[in-house]
């Protein structure tokens, strides 16, 4: 998740977007209306939000490090909800928390921790969904080997797969956090240099036993067959291709939602993700930078990186309104 090919880009965009607040407010009101959850946050940057259905709340990752929850049980459409911090690990200093996935079966959330500015540390951690205790913390890279852990998916056995945005690979970690192996393939790596600036990004586990992974700058999707020697295949797009891809979420076994800064795509496949087609698109609030998607009650909600306002930063989770291309 997160179009983070350059943190400088993010910081620059942030600086630019803080100044002309009046312009932003007028942009906001020009945005297509859909159901939205608004929440007040202590931070400007929120990379990923996932809906935790059994607990009626969103879990949000903090780019300044840590996790928060947005309980929605008492919300009305007009209220701005509070963001309640639940995890802040002192031993992770200023590392960011990026992609997250809710592993309801094991009552835990699995998150990616990453040193955004230096790319000198990546890790995966799991926290208990009831008391937020840390169940494991597994270092994946650093400080000598530059990498950038970005997003994570968990399979039926509880193994976690983490994308490396910098080095075009996955890391596999076992159910108790033990490091297992890297998953690498030349198919992941495009030949053109500028497509190496931000590589593997979003990842989901498909209930039939494979992973779907997105590549940031090419928009490519890959199928990784974890039951068959981690074989990697490019998902062949029929018709239009995706141009950028960020966070992913499965709406059903044959419908995938792909976030990107230019819009949200609903992608369909009828052959187990050997081939796929863009079926519908939903617009995004562009200046807030859409980085992720989550599903709540069969509806898709879009996570936006940027909050706006001072001292409280208001963030928006907006329902995606799809229309046929
Ligand atoms: C990836 O790492 C290389 C060094 O190995 C660095 O030059 C490059 O800027 C990094 N790219 C990103 C997107 O962080
Ligand atoms: C919802 O409201 C009830 C009654 O006012 C309160 O007890 C409960 O804590 C609230 N729940 C949340 C998630 O705010
Ligand atoms: C990230 O966390 C690791 C592990 O504690 C630490 O060594 C490193 O200095 C941290 N990096 C940043 C940028 O805070």
């Amino acid at each position: 998740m997160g179009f983070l090919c350059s943190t400088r880009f993010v910081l620059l965009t942030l600086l630019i977007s803080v100044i002309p607040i009046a312009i932003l407010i007028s942009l906001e009101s020009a945005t297509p209306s859909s159901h939205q959850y608004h929440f007040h946050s202590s931070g400007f940057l929120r990379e990923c939000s996932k809906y935790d259905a059994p607990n009626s709340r969103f879990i949000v990752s903090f780019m300044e490090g840590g996790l928060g929850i947005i309980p929605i049980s008492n919300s009305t459409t007009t209220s701005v909800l509070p963001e309640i911090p639940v995890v802040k690990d002192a031993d992770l200093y200023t590392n960011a928390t990026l992609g997250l996935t809710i592993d309801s079966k094991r009552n835990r959330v699995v998150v990616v921790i990453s040193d955004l500015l230096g790319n000198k540390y990546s890790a995966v951690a799991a926290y208990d969904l009831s008391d937020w205790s840390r169940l494991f913390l597994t270092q994946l890279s650093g400080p000598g080997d530059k990498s950038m852990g970005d997003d994570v998916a968990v399979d039926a056995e509880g193994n976690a797969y983490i994308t490396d945005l910098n080095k075009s690979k996955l890391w596999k970690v076992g159910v108790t956090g033990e490091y297992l192996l890297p998953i690498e393939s030349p198919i992941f790596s495009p030949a053109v240099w500028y497509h190496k600036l931000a590589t593997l990004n979003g990842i989901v586990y498909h209930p039939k036993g494979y992973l779907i992974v997105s590549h940031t700058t090419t928009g490519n999707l890959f199928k990784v067959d974890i039951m068959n020697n981690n074989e990697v295949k490019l998902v062949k797009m029929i018709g239009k291709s995706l141009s950028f891809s960020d966070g992913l979420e499965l709406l059903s076994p044959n419908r995938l939602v792909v976030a990107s800064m230019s819009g949200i795509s609903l992608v369909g496949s009828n052959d187990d993700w050997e081939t796929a087609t863009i079926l519908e698109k939903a617009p995004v609030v562009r200046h807030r930078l859409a980085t992720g998607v989550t599903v709540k009650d069969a509806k898709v909600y879009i996570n936006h990186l940027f909050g706006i306002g001072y001292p409280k930063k208001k963030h928006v989770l907006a329902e995606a309104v799809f229309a046929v291309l």
Side-chain angles (χ1 to χ4, degrees):
M1 333 219 96
F3 180 66
L4 299 169
C5 72
S6 157
T7 310
R8 269 159 255 116
F9 165 77
V10 170
L11 295 177
L12 194 68
T13 313
L14 176 64
L15 275 179
I16 294 164
S17 62
V18 168
I19 303 155
I21 282 208
I23 298 167
L24 288 175
I25 288 165
S26 63
L27 278 173
E28 297 276 292
S29 49
T31 304
S33 61
S34 65
H35 178 250
Q36 300 187 341
Y37 290 104
H38 292 205
F39 62 95
H40 273 146
S41 166
S42 55
F44 279 115
L45 305 172
R46 295 290 176 260
E47 220 267 329
C48 180
S49 312
K50 292 289 173 188
Y51 188 59
D52 176 13
N55 298 300
S56 305
R57 62 191 179 189
F58 290 95
I59 301 182
V60 182
S61 66
F62 294 1
M63 206 164 273
E64 68 273 25
L67 291 172
I69 53 170
I70 320 291
I72 57 158
S73 45
N74 291 355
S75 84
T76 63
T77 44
T78 52
S79 58
V80 180
L81 304 167
E83 174 191 82
I84 303 163
V86 289
V87 168
K88 177 64 191 165
D89 290 343
D91 61 347
L92 294 171
Y93 305 94
T94 60
N95 284 291
T97 305
L98 300 180
L100 68 94
T101 190
I102 298 169
D103 182 7
S104 300
K105 198 168 157 188
R106 294 166 197 84
N107 196 47
R108 64 188 193 176
V109 60
V110 181
V111 309
V112 180
I113 291 149
S114 212
D115 165 22
L116 285 182
L117 291 167
N119 294 167
K120 286 181 186 154
Y121 183 81
S122 300
V124 59
Y127 299 91
D128 186 282
L129 282 179
S130 306
D131 66 10
W132 302 104
S133 58
R134 190 162 81 193
L135 305 172
F136 65 74
L137 170 71
T138 304
Q139 184 172 346
L140 301 170
S141 73
D145 52 330
K146 287 202 174 186
S147 270
M148 199 186 133
D150 191 74
D151 197 5
V152 59
V154 169
D155 71 14
E157 275 83 54
N159 300 300
Y161 303 83
I162 302 96
T163 53
D164 181 354
L165 188 79
N166 185 276
K167 290 280 159 61
S168 235
K169 67 168 185 296
L170 306 176
W171 291 282
K172 181 176 180 179
V173 165
V175 64
T176 56
E178 68 281 17
Y179 178 76
L180 296 176
L181 57 128
I183 300 175
E184 291 165 301
S185 166
I187 296 166
F188 280 148
S189 307
V192 190
W193 69 270
Y194 56 82
H195 286 317
K196 295 189 205 298
L197 292 175
T199 65
L200 301 188
N201 194 318
I203 184 165
V204 285
Y205 171 69
H206 191 283
K208 280 205 184 162
Y210 51 86
L211 305 167
I212 302 174
V213 180
S214 69
H215 186 284
T216 315
T217 57
T218 60
N220 286 340
L221 298 175
F222 303 101
K223 177 178 173 179
V224 182
D225 193 348
I226 53 173
M227 316 277 264
N228 180 22
N229 221 12
N230 300 317
E231 184 197 11
V232 178
K233 282 185 193 165
L234 178 69
V235 177
K236 190 171 181 291
M237 297 301 292
I238 310 286
K240 244 179 154 257
S241 300
L242 294 155
S243 46
F244 275 98
S245 295
D246 202 320
L248 304 176
E249 194 71 88
L250 278 171
L251 194 53
S252 72
N254 56 6
R255 292 287 181 274
L256 178 75
V257 187
V258 182
S260 99
M261 53 188 177
S262 61
I264 309 298
S265 302
L266 180 66
V267 181
S269 172
N270 294 322
D271 57 6
D272 256 314
W273 300 95
E274 295 290 319
T275 67
T277 309
I278 303 176
L279 303 173
E280 294 182 324
K281 279 257 197 190
V284 292
V285 187
R286 282 181 192 243
H287 61 278
R288 282 185 180 264
L289 205 60
T291 53
V293 275
T294 187
V295 174
K296 175 184 179 291
D297 303 325
K299 289 176 183 143
V300 175
Y301 280 83
I302 309 163
N303 178 81
H304 298 92
L305 183 64
F306 295 124
I308 295 170
Y310 192 83
K312 285 183 186 162
K313 293 84 180 167
K314 195 168 89 178
H315 286 261
V316 177
L317 289 163
E319 188 189 335
V321 182
F322 288 104
V324 179
L325 278 176

